Amino acid sequence: MCQKTEPDPKTKAEKKPNGKSKSGKGSGKILASKPKVKTGPETPTEAQTYLTQVVNKGRFQKVGNTLTVQAGDTLELRCKGNPVQWAVPAYLEEDDEGRLRTVQHERYGTLILANTTAADTGEFTCYPMYCEDKDCRKQYDKGVKVFIFFSDPLELFVPSADYYEIIQLRTNWPTVLPCQVTSPLAKVTLHREFPPMEVKVDGREISFDVKKGFTIHRPKQYHAGSLYCVASLGNLRQSSTKYMLIYVNYPAAPPSPAIQASSDTIVVGKNLQVTCTVIGEKGVVVDFTWEYPGQKIERPMHTDDSVQIVQVDGQNRQRTQTILLVDEVREDDHGTYTCTAQNLQGSRSASTTVKVQSARTTTKPKKP
């Protein structure tokens, strides 16, 4: 009886906007409501890469930013993805004892490190690979990192073969003192050897990160000297390698030399001076080299070098200058003179050309 009854067309048209399912005449199909229509790409969503640690057979735990493993235990990490590639601390990249191995399975990669030591402490990274045919490359933006401490009750610092390590302090360039601890629970302080004192760590000028050591953010002259770190954990107290900090006033950019000859045209027998000048930051060492026509005949070079502090736009600047002295000019001194100025950031050059005239070719005044 229901199937034979025709719905009123007017009523049917009015009910269309409601979005409710409606039976059509002679059809047993149900029209899905609009909110339930599935949209979007048909390709599956790419799985997110993550790390897990194999604790025991059949037991796993997800890894966070850091992980602590007792030295001597075996480390086993799993990284979801196929294929994946691992990055390990530099010390382990040179491992030739067979302690480290990686295996690629169907759905994940495994890293196994046996007979672990405090020296293995560092950052471990798993990179998923993007492959087209046989060409694969790392997806750096999707890499998963974990810093692993291999805690040793007898070694609070990562062992080092060096008693002294020389570190260069550059102006306005953050410098790291890599006194890396093997336990995140160790309390670490910074000390100066001469005079003996603890260095204040305020978090701004100098800060500490348990994963890399102390950072001097804006090195100054007074930071130079012999420094070392002291770690304490329970009843154990140990000192790190000593760091000899050498301060270098590092320039912001390569020098910009300006060159000028005492005369663009000079007569044979006269004296010539070619001046090369650099205006820059105070305390920055600038080295000069010359290229000049007289080199072809092995004419010896004589220079007059000077460094002065001068006022430029109301500021104290350093003027570094070299003057190439060419006595009793010859015809062979005709040509291009090039000055190259170099500092720790690089070098730049400047050139000028000097013409040499013979005394016989100089124009004589006409007779009246």
Side-chain angles (χ1 to χ4, degrees):
M1 292 292 290
C2 294
Q3 289 177 352
K4 290 180 181 179
T5 305
E6 281 288 342
D8 184 23
K10 186 176 179 182
T11 307
K12 183 177 180 181
E14 289 174 353
K15 292 183 178 180
K16 275 185 179 180
N18 293 337
K20 297 181 181 179
S21 60
K22 188 74 178 178
S23 299
K25 182 180 178 181
S27 69
K29 295 179 181 179
I30 304 297
L31 302 178
S33 60
K34 195 170 183 180
K36 294 182 180 180
V37 176
K38 187 176 181 180
T39 60
E42 295 181 0
T43 56
T45 306
E46 186 177 352
Q48 184 179 2
T49 304
Y50 60 88
L51 287 173
T52 55
Q53 180 192 12
V54 181
V55 183
N56 288 314
K57 290 184 178 180
R59 288 187 57 203
F60 309 91
Q61 67 178 14
K62 196 168 182 180
V63 174
N65 295 327
T66 62
L67 179 66
T68 302
V69 176
Q70 188 69 31
D73 291 351
T74 296
L75 170 71
E76 184 174 348
L77 295 177
R78 286 189 178 184
C79 179
K80 186 175 181 180
N82 184 10
V84 298
Q85 194 169 95
W86 297 88
V88 297
Y91 171 81
L92 286 172
E93 289 179 356
E94 302 171 1
D95 176 63
D96 57 357
E97 300 175 359
R99 298 189 302 120
L100 175 69
R101 63 189 180 96
T102 59
V103 181
Q104 182 63 57
H105 300 278
E106 184 179 353
R107 295 184 180 180
Y108 60 89
T110 303
L111 179 146
I112 300 173
L113 180 61
N115 301 323
T116 58
T117 67
D120 299 328
T121 297
E123 189 174 73
F124 292 72
T125 309
C126 171
Y127 295 103
M129 305 290 286
Y130 176 77
C131 298
E132 292 180 351
D133 296 329
K134 294 183 180 180
D135 182 27
C136 296
R137 63 179 183 271
K138 291 180 184 177
Q139 295 180 283
Y140 288 96
D141 58 330
K142 296 180 181 178
V144 184
K145 301 180 180 181
V146 57
F147 193 95
I148 303 180
F149 298 92
F150 291 93
S151 181
D152 188 330
L154 301 179
E155 294 281 358
L156 294 183
F157 289 105
V158 173
S160 173
D162 300 323
Y163 179 73
Y164 258 107
E165 184 176 338
I166 297 176
I167 297 179
Q168 191 179 84
L169 296 174
R170 300 180 180 181
T171 310
N172 300 327
W173 191 284
T175 301
V176 176
L177 277 63
C179 43
Q180 177 61 61
V181 290
T182 62
S183 171
L185 302 178
K187 181 183 177 182
V188 188
T189 53
L190 183 62
H191 297 259
R192 182 176 293 277
E193 190 173 19
F194 304 110
M197 59 180 292
E198 182 176 339
V199 178
K200 182 181 178 182
V201 178
D202 58 5
R204 291 176 298 177
E205 185 176 346
I206 302 177
S207 63
F208 177 73
D209 185 338
V210 73
K211 294 187 287 185
K212 62 180 181 181
F214 290 96
T215 300
I216 303 175
H217 294 279
R218 296 176 65 88
K220 304 294 183 185
Q221 179 70 48
Y222 58 80
H223 289 128
S226 178
L227 278 73
Y228 62 96
C229 307
V230 174
S232 303
L233 183 61
N235 296 325
L236 186 62
R237 178 182 170 92
Q238 289 182 344
S239 299
S240 71
T241 295
K242 290 184 172 62
Y243 303 101
M244 179 59 71
L245 306 184
I246 300 174
Y247 179 78
V248 178
N249 193 356
Y250 217 79
S256 297
I259 192 169
Q260 185 176 9
S262 56
S263 178
D264 295 335
T265 303
I266 192 167
V267 178
V268 171
K270 299 292 185 180
N271 294 336
L272 173 69
Q273 294 184 356
V274 185
T275 304
C276 186
T277 306
V278 169
I279 303 295
E281 304 167 54
K282 294 189 297 180
V284 174
V285 177
V286 179
D287 295 318
F288 293 101
T289 56
W290 284 97
E291 293 179 22
Y292 55 98
Q295 285 175 316
K296 297 176 183 178
I297 59 171
E298 297 183 356
R299 183 176 174 92
M301 181 180 69
H302 300 286
T303 60
D304 182 12
D305 302 331
S306 63
V307 178
Q308 291 181 327
I309 301 299
V310 295
Q311 283 280 329
V312 178
D313 297 330
Q315 294 184 346
N316 287 333
R317 306 283 283 172
Q318 178 176 288
R319 183 179 69 188
T320 309
Q321 192 173 78
T322 180
I323 303 174
L324 179 64
L325 307 173
V326 185
D327 295 334
E328 298 181 358
V329 169
R330 309 171 191 174
E331 291 183 358
D332 295 318
D333 295 319
H334 170 91
T336 301
Y337 291 74
T338 301
C339 161
T340 300
Q342 182 174 5
N343 62 19
L344 292 173
Q345 280 283 30
S347 62
R348 289 177 182 160
S349 301
S351 301
T352 187
T353 300
V354 176
K355 295 180 181 180
V356 177
Q357 290 184 345
S358 172
R360 293 171 296 182
T361 60
T362 55
T363 56
K364 297 180 179 180
K366 294 181 180 181
K367 294 181 179 181

